[in-house]
Every structure is written in C-alpha cells, then in structure tokens.
Amino acid sequence: MNFDSHSLIEYLKEYDEITIIDEPLDIDLQIPHLAYLEVKKPHSKALLFTRPICAKRNQTFDTPVLMNVFGSYSRLNLLLTQPIPHITKRIENLLRFTPPKNLKDAYQKFKDVLALRHIFPKYIKKRGACQEVILQDSQINLFDLPILTTWEHDGGAFITMGQVYTQSLNGKKKNLGMYRLQVYDRNHLGLHWQIHKDSQHFFLKYKKAGKKMPVSIALGGDPLYIWCGQAPLPMGIFELMLYGFIRGKRPKLSRCITNPLYVPSDVDIVIEGWVDPSQMHDEGPFGDHTGFYTPIEPYPVLEVSAITMRKKPIYPATVVGKPPLEDKYMGYLTERVFLPLLKMTAHGLMDYHMPENGVFHNLIFAKVKSDYPSHSKQIMHNFWGVGQMSFVKHAIFVGEDAPDLADYEALGNYILERFSPQSLLITEGICDALDHSSPHYGTGGKLGVEAITPMQKLDFIHYDDKKLWELFAPCMPQAKALKQYFAHTSNPISIIAVEKQDSLTTYIRANPNKFDSVQNAMSIIILVDSDKNDLSNPYMLTWRIVNHIDAKRDIVIIQNLIFIDATDKNQCDGHLREWPKETNCTPAVIESLQEKGLLKDIDQAFLEKFQILG
C-alpha cells in the first residue's frame, strides 16, 4: 500500500490520527508553533491546516498545510502498513543469505530475493499527477506556496519537507536528500546541503566542470519518500530503491519539465531549477533540529525554472527545534531499519539506540558482545568511521547483559556500576556541520565510554544533596546549586549550576587540591549554566549537556573525579565561533493561539517541561 496526500489524510481520519484546523492561522510562526507544541504531547496527532494565511502580505492560500505526519509511534506503524521488525527481518534475511535447508526454506528465500524486483524505479513517459498544473517564466512565484517561517530569528521562510533530487555529472548516480531550503525571492531558493552530503559531492563535480547542476524539489506524495531522503545509505545508492523494497512496489517517476531529473509522479508539488556552481548566497540563520540556530553561511542557490503541481495540492511541512519532535519517530525508524547493516560491519554489535534528546548524533547507546580486550573500543572506532555514524560525538557501550537501551533508569544504574575514569576513550574526528560546541567547524572531540565490567568503590561515601553541597560549595566559588542523579550507585552524577565568570576547566586544572574533600563522595561532576537550566528536569538537561560538550576541551579528570563543562562557551574557553541562540517560541504567538482556544490542553507545566519559552 502506498499513499498520495489525499488518500493519506483519509487514512489518518479513519484511525482518528489527524486533527483538522479550519481556523485561519499564519504561516509565519502561528502554524509552526502550534505543530511544535502538538508533537510534544503524549498522544499527538497529525495536523491539517485548511486556511493558511500570511498576514504581512495580506495573503490567503488555497493549499492546505499538512504537518506532524510522522509524530507518533502509532502513526509510524500506520504509514508503514507493516511491523518494523518485519522490515528488519527481511533485510537480515538478504544480508545473511545461505543455501536453503529444505523446500519450505527455499520457498522463503525465493520470496526474499523476488522482493528485490521492486527496488528499481519505473520511469514513465507520460506526465504525472504532479504535473497537472505547470507554471513557468512570469508565472513562477514561491510566495504563492504556504512556506512556513518557524522561528522569529529565522532568516526567512524555509521548506522543511522537501525531497531534493539530484544526479551526478554523468547522470549515472541519482540521489534523494532532505535539506532545508530558504526562500530568497519569487524564484530563488538557498540549498542547505552540508559538506558531507551526497548532493554536495555532486555539486563539486559540476563546479569543477563549470556546468550548471539540475535540482528538483518534490513536496508531498507518499510520506515514505521523505523518510528515504534522510536514510543513511552508502554513496551511489538511490534512496528510492529503499522505498521500493519497503513498499513492495516500484516507485513511478516522471521526467521534469525543464531539467533532466525524474521525480515521483504522485507528489503534490515540484520545484524545478538549476544551480550555478559559481554563485553562492548567504543562507540562514535557521532554528535547526539541534534546538539551536545555525549561523549565516554561504550555500548554493537554485534558480527556479518551473513549478508543477496537482490541481489540489497539499503542502507538507515539519518543525525542528528542541526535542521531542517529529524527527524522534523518523530517527527511530532509521535506527531499527539500519541495525542489520551496522551489525554486518561491526562484529559483536547487538543493538543500538539514539535518544531523541541527544539529537541523534550527540549521544548513542550500544549493546555489544565483547569477545576480547578492547573489543568495544574497536566498535567505537568502527562507528566513528562509517557514514553518518561518524558524526556521533558521545557513545556509551554496554555489555550483552545490559537492560533495554531505552529503559533509561535501568540503563543508568547499569552504566554507573561499571564506570571509571579508565573506561573513557577521548579522541577527535569529524562533526556534523550543525555542531556548535567544538572550537572548529566540522571537527572536534569525541567521547567513548566502556561500561561493561562491574567496578566496586569500597571507600565511597554517599551523601544527600544538602550534605554534599556543604562539602562541594567551598571547592568552587562559581557553584550556586547541586543536584544528584543515581545517587545510590557507585558513580553518582552531580549536576552543578554555576555562574560562570571565566574558564571553568582552567580553574579546575589550576586548583586540583581544592577538590580533595570530595574525592570519595563524588564521581561525575557536570557543570551547567545556572540561568538556563532546571536541575530537576533531566530530559532537557541531557539535551543541553550533550549539545554543549567538546570532549577534548571540556573534560578534566582529577584523580577519581571527572569534570564535564557543559556551560555556554566563549573566548575565555578558546571558543571563537559564535555561540548560538536556542529555539524558543515567541510569547506573543503562544498567547494568540491561547486566545483562539487552540491550546486548551497546554498548561504552564507543559511549557516549562520542554522549555518552550526558554
């Protein structure tokens, strides 16, 4: 079963998984803010905004906006129309293909291989449903589409659910990516494809050849298209092949009107164009999935040559910012589907998990079967050298007897009974282009933790928070408050709120003896800014901590104590890059949604839990 946007909406209605909002709402902040709040609810729904407007241009749109399609586990299962473990099993069967044992086994293996017939796209000659309306030349106007401005400090409106289709210079390799796209004017878009992405590799070849590069952006259609666009497939494998494998149906592609690319025939809107590799334009800022704004940087520009669409298109969009958001569920599907492939390249890997408040590349848990000394460290290095896993900054490896990796309470207890300073591996490597905490763009420190062998601390003394604060406060004048997590374990985590005046790591290294009084009462000490952190909110603490660390710069070990500086960085830390703002909702917009009666189940506690306003 596959979907177009209209059949998808009816399908979601059938299962009570969508809310229709007929209230006129602004594409600037109002619509994205409401979707941002909705996806954080425990039982969120997809949202269809039937009457989008743009107040600043006095404009109304006939095209509805569809959001939060992936925003729950129940909807994810509905969209796939099959259990996720079934997809994983099919991939495992192909990767571990062996001669059949009997006739029944032979039949099953034949079915597995036969399914591969669906992976190759079907290129059709006739025009697709996405080309019922064709706009060219003076008819082109990106402002006629309900493209959203999500955050008040964004550089403009951005397409956030665009399927970006490109091909190599010789046309033999195809790629589908998911990148944000900034609207500059009626017919120009900024293309935020980062230095490590396949489209960027193609772009460099066009630039070297001095030729313009064709790019087409598809919007809507089957939601699985856009998920495939962010799937971490090896270079040269067309992402729509994965679509065909999962759906069990060859995707049908139609040729674009003004460039040689092909896009799925059943999408809603297609923006076609060409990129002149000699021209770059400032793009951003943009509140990204890390929960922080990315800075203004030069990126390629798409000159739009045509816009085609269905007669009644639906415009898809997503919101990125502080977790949890829709990418939580998209990332979960990626995690499960690609586990069999990771197992093939990392002997001993049993499972892995990327918590959404670790924004995926900032924190990962991995369960391994360790067969020899440093086996887990070998897998750490394997992770840091393979595709998008190489962006992971903090990896914690546990043994095969560890609890479920998503049971954070049990897992925390397990890890902290197996933790020691000697179990740390601090190295460096490439970082995601969106990473802001490392001193230099695209490269920085990485931390690996091996928590497999139980460790005993016979002389460790456990104190409650009040008594421990009395011991610690004299050690560090910058400290203003303390809270312990997992206080009963051999390695409690102490979160220290500080008012930072100068480099904290410099202070710690210069005054090691000041901490002698807590050597047997503390273990892991994490320093956070007192004005930005609620010490009783571990979910958002984790998000900010793993975002703010560069392991080589921010970790100091003094005998039994491990200090981690997770404060904002500046010149006193040797950090010369701009430190970004957080993606906070605009209070006036939240108030306007409340006045319209659209936030009846959103209270102050909810806003504070997810730090909606900062």
Side-chain angles (χ1 to χ4, degrees):
M1 182 177 183
N2 64 327
F3 303 97
D4 61 29
S5 294
H6 290 276
S7 64
L8 172 65
I9 290 168
E10 294 305 312
Y11 182 63
L12 295 176
K13 284 180 182 178
E14 181 182 346
Y15 288 91
D16 192 27
E17 285 283 352
I18 189 168
T19 298
I20 311 299
I21 298 176
D22 295 322
E23 174 81 23
L25 290 177
D26 205 317
I27 59 173
D28 294 334
L29 305 186
Q30 275 192 332
I31 287 176
H33 275 29
L34 185 56
Y36 180 71
L37 297 174
E38 175 67 28
V39 73
K40 296 177 185 298
K41 297 177 184 177
H43 304 289
S44 73
K45 294 187 179 183
L47 301 176
L48 181 67
F49 299 91
T50 61
R51 299 176 66 188
I53 64 171
C54 180
K56 69 182 180 183
R57 294 198 298 268
N58 193 29
Q59 187 176 4
T60 60
F61 299 91
D62 294 328
T63 302
V65 176
L66 179 62
M67 302 188 73
N68 200 21
V69 168
F70 286 96
S72 72
Y73 291 116
S74 59
R75 265 194 312 290
L76 190 61
N77 287 322
L78 285 173
L79 295 176
L80 292 171
T81 67
Q82 59 183 305
I84 295 175
H86 178 62
I87 299 171
T88 304
K89 184 64 177 177
R90 289 169 58 203
I91 294 173
E92 286 179 339
N93 289 344
L94 289 170
L95 292 174
R96 302 182 184 279
F97 196 86
T98 56
K101 299 176 181 178
N102 49 50
L103 188 61
K104 182 179 179 181
D105 191 33
Y107 175 69
Q108 182 58 51
K109 291 182 183 298
F110 175 73
K111 284 177 61 179
D112 291 338
V113 174
L114 190 63
L116 294 177
R117 74 189 189 279
H118 300 302
I119 69 174
F120 299 105
K122 183 177 183 180
Y123 297 90
I124 61 176
K125 295 181 179 179
K126 66 178 182 179
R127 289 184 175 174
C130 62
Q131 296 167 327
E132 292 173 338
V133 177
I134 299 173
L135 305 173
Q136 293 180 261
D137 303 322
S138 62
Q139 297 174 306
I140 296 171
N141 187 359
L142 292 167
F143 294 117
D144 287 339
L145 299 175
I147 302 173
L148 308 180
T149 301
T150 304
W151 305 109
E152 64 175 302
H153 298 300
D154 280 355
F158 286 81
I159 295 171
T160 53
M161 272 287 199
Q163 308 159 33
V164 182
Y165 291 87
T166 56
Q167 65 182 24
S168 60
L169 184 61
N170 62 11
K172 292 183 179 180
K173 293 181 180 178
K174 315 289 184 183
N175 181 255
L176 162 59
M178 180 183 179
Y179 316 109
R180 73 184 194 226
L181 307 152
Q182 182 175 355
V183 179
Y184 291 137
D185 54 37
R186 296 168 61 96
N187 65 332
H188 290 92
L189 286 170
L191 300 173
H192 190 270
W193 51 46
Q194 298 155 27
I195 57 174
H196 309 108
K197 304 299 184 180
D198 290 355
S199 292
Q200 173 70 3
H201 300 323
F202 290 166
F203 172 80
L204 293 176
K205 295 292 179 65
Y206 281 91
K207 185 175 183 178
K208 186 176 181 179
K211 294 185 177 181
K212 288 187 176 182
M213 177 178 175
V215 177
S216 289
I217 298 145
L219 295 158
D222 193 326
L224 196 59
Y225 293 144
I226 194 66
W227 176 81
C228 290
Q230 55 82 62
L233 288 169
M235 176 75 172
I237 297 181
F238 191 18
E239 286 74 10
L240 286 184
M241 297 173 71
L242 179 58
Y243 172 91
F245 176 80
I246 293 175
R247 281 283 184 247
K249 186 176 182 180
R250 294 174 67 187
K252 295 180 180 179
L253 309 185
S254 295
R255 184 182 170 115
C256 292
I257 304 299
T258 59
N259 69 31
L261 299 173
Y262 284 77
V263 298
S265 306
D266 57 352
V267 298
D268 290 77
I269 302 166
V270 181
I271 301 170
E272 306 176 9
W274 296 83
V275 172
D276 183 344
S278 66
Q279 295 183 4
M280 304 286 277
H281 193 286
D282 283 348
E283 190 266 3
F286 176 72
D288 219 309
H289 80 275
T290 59
F292 295 86
Y293 286 89
T294 50
I296 298 173
E297 294 175 319
Y299 277 91
V301 179
L302 177 72
E303 182 173 6
V304 180
S305 54
I307 299 176
T308 71
M309 63 183 71
R310 290 173 174 265
K311 290 179 180 178
K312 293 184 177 181
I314 306 291
Y315 178 83
T318 190
V319 176
V320 290
K322 298 178 186 178
L325 291 172
E326 198 170 359
D327 56 7
K328 165 183 177 177
Y329 306 97
M330 297 176 75
Y332 172 76
L333 178 57
T334 301
E335 175 188 291
R336 294 299 92 195
V337 168
F338 284 86
L339 176 59
L341 294 170
L342 280 174
K343 284 182 175 180
M344 292 293 290
T345 62
H347 166 70
L349 177 67
M350 300 177 67
D351 196 5
Y352 76 113
H353 173 57
M354 302 178 291
E356 79 274 2
N357 54 340
V359 293
F360 306 108
H361 59 267
N362 279 341
L363 180 62
I364 187 170
F365 299 124
K367 184 181 291 189
V368 298
K369 184 178 185 300
S370 184
D371 293 332
Y372 42 80
S374 292
H375 190 172
S376 64
K377 291 185 176 66
Q378 180 187 44
I379 301 176
M380 288 179 197
H381 287 295
N382 178 287
F383 272 24
W384 287 329
V386 177
Q388 292 190 31
M389 293 297 287
S390 61
F391 300 141
V392 171
K393 293 187 67 178
H394 312 108
I396 301 177
F397 282 66
V398 297
E400 59 183 313
D401 61 336
D404 188 295
L405 298 181
D407 184 347
Y408 301 137
E409 185 71 23
L411 186 64
N413 287 320
Y414 178 95
I415 291 169
L416 294 171
E417 294 297 347
R418 291 159 176 79
F419 180 88
S420 76
Q422 292 72 41
S423 68
L424 304 187
L425 172 64
I426 298 176
T427 183
E428 62 183 335
I430 68 168
C431 293
D432 191 285
L434 302 180
D435 175 69
H436 65 262
S437 64
S438 296
H440 305 289
Y441 171 80
T443 182
K446 294 178 179 288
L447 171 67
V449 179
E450 183 182 66
I452 295 176
T453 304
M455 303 283 182
Q456 286 189 335
K457 288 187 174 181
L458 300 178
D459 57 348
F460 193 86
I461 305 171
H462 291 85
Y463 292 108
D464 61 23
D465 286 357
K466 182 180 179 181
K467 178 60 177 177
L468 189 60
W469 171 246
E470 291 173 358
L471 284 174
F472 183 82
C475 305
M476 195 171 209
Q478 304 94 327
K480 300 303 173 185
L482 173 151
K483 182 174 178 60
Q484 294 183 91
Y485 286 92
F486 300 99
H488 59 283
T489 67
S490 299
N491 292 280
I493 298 174
S494 299
I495 310 295
I496 311 293
V498 300
E499 289 184 4
K500 182 177 175 179
Q501 304 296 327
D502 212 330
S503 169
L504 297 174
T505 54
T506 298
Y507 173 84
I508 294 165
R509 290 189 177 101
N511 300 279
N513 295 335
K514 282 186 174 289
F515 302 99
D516 288 347
S517 61
V518 296
Q519 281 289 346
N520 293 326
M522 302 180 79
S523 178
I524 301 168
I525 301 169
I526 303 178
L527 310 171
V528 300
D529 291 298
S530 61
D531 61 334
K532 293 186 176 182
N533 290 276
D534 175 2
L535 299 194
S536 298
N537 188 341
Y539 183 89
M540 297 306 292
L541 275 172
T542 301
W543 163 74
R544 192 174 277 106
I545 288 166
V546 297
N547 258 304
H548 280 11
I549 299 171
D550 179 271
K552 292 203 72 174
R553 178 192 61 208
D554 298 329
I555 295 178
V556 179
I557 300 175
I558 305 293
Q559 297 181 52
N560 298 322
L561 302 178
I562 298 173
F563 292 86
I564 301 173
D565 180 4
T567 61
D568 292 7
K569 304 304 185 302
N570 53 41
Q571 290 186 1
C572 76
D573 303 293
H575 191 92
L576 304 182
R577 299 169 64 199
E578 177 186 3
W579 197 262
K581 296 178 181 178
E582 297 178 12
T583 53
N584 297 325
C585 287
T586 303
V589 176
I590 298 298
E591 290 174 11
S592 72
L593 295 173
Q594 288 172 330
E595 290 170 359
K596 293 176 181 293
L598 297 173
L599 301 183
K600 293 179 180 178
D601 50 353
I602 302 292
D603 57 16
Q604 188 62 31
F606 182 96
L607 298 178
E608 292 176 359
K609 177 180 179 180
F610 297 111
Q611 299 184 357
I612 301 298
L613 301 175

